Every structure is written in structure tokens, then in C-alpha cells.
Amino acid sequence: LDDDFNTAGAIAVLFELCGAINRYIDERKLERPGSPEAKQLALEGARMVTTLSRTIGLFEGPLKTDDVDDILAGKLMELLIELRAQARRDKNFALADTIRDKLKDLNITLEDRPDGTAWQKD
């Protein structure tokens, strides 16, 4: 079984396929509004990568809801911190303080540091 499945070769092919899909997306500028057919083809390619990956044991289970919630919470906190920073730059200290206080009510503490603002759940 050491080399019968050639897992390394399969992963290399998947990597090449991902590269081809990414080039396709870049060349057709699919991040912008445009051809639904081209976008559908890119999505089908991504589904194929996922299906083939499962064959060798990758992506075996669905993404855990907790993981999605953690990612979303992090992104939302980044947004709130940026909005608060903008309010402070605009000298809208009332809004900046309100954001900080409302987060404190949710047991989230903001810590302003020289390299930016950090947050933690209490």
C-alpha cells in the first residue's frame, strides 16, 4: 500500500487543477459582474476538485458550524474595530465610545495598542 495509491501524485494533480481553475478565473476576471456561464464553469471545476479530493480522504466532513461562526465573528470584529478607528480619526469620539461600550456590554474588551486594536472575549 505504500505506493499503490500514489497519493502524492493525486495531490499534485489536484494542485495543478486548482491552478488551472484560478488562471481561468483570473483570465476571465470572474470577480467582476459578467458571464454567468463562465462563473458556472469555474464552480463546476471547484466541485470537481472537492469530489476528487474526497476520494483520497480530503474534505471528508462538512465545515463545522462553530468554525464558520468563529470566522464570521472575527470578520465582524475587524469591521467594528475599523469603524471605531475611523470614528476616532474623524474626532467622533461619541461614536467610538459607543462602539467600545456596546462591545463591553457583550463581554468583549477592546485594547488599543501602538500596532492597532486587539479584542478579547471576557
Side-chain angles (χ1 to χ4, degrees), residues 3 5-19 49 52-59:
D3 198 28
F5 293 120
N6 194 5
T7 305
I11 291 172
V13 169
L14 287 171
F15 185 77
E16 289 175 24
L17 181 57
C18 288
V49 168
L52 293 172
S53 297
R54 284 190 175 129
T55 303
I56 60 172
L58 301 174
F59 307 122

Side-chain angles (χ1 to χ4, degrees), residues 70-87:
D70 289 346
I71 292 168
L72 178 60
K75 297 281 185 193
L76 289 172
M77 285 305 302
E78 287 174 19
L79 174 63
L80 288 169
I81 288 169
E82 179 55 36
L83 289 172
R84 180 172 173 264
Q86 185 62 50

Side-chain angles (χ1 to χ4, degrees), residues 19-121:
I21 293 168
N22 283 331
R23 282 189 300 280
Y24 178 83
I25 291 169
D26 289 342
E27 289 167 1
R28 286 163 183 78
K29 298 178 178 29
L30 296 183
E31 307 85 35
R32 300 180 189 161
S35 169
E37 296 84 17
K39 288 181 181 182
Q40 186 61 37
L41 186 58
L43 285 172
E44 289 302 320
R47 285 188 191 104
M48 181 179 14
V49 168
T50 302
T51 301
L52 293 172
S53 297
R54 284 190 175 129
T55 303
I56 60 172
L58 301 174
F59 307 122
E60 285 192 351
L63 190 61
K64 296 177 190 170
T65 306
D66 292 345
D67 294 342
V68 173
D69 290 345
D70 289 346
I71 292 168
L72 178 60
K75 297 281 185 193
L76 289 172
M77 285 305 302
E78 287 174 19
L79 174 63
L80 288 169
I81 288 169
E82 179 55 36
L83 289 172
R84 180 172 173 264
Q86 185 62 50
R88 292 174 74 193
R89 284 190 294 272
D90 294 342
K91 299 192 185 307
N92 187 347
F93 299 112
L95 177 58
D97 290 346
T98 299
I99 293 171
R100 183 197 60 227
D101 294 342
K102 294 292 183 181
L103 289 172
K104 186 72 172 163
D105 292 344
L106 297 171
N107 296 321
I108 296 172
T109 302
L110 296 180
E111 183 180 330
D112 294 316
R113 301 176 178 168
D115 62 335
T117 301
W119 67 278
Q120 69 178 15
K121 183 119 172 83

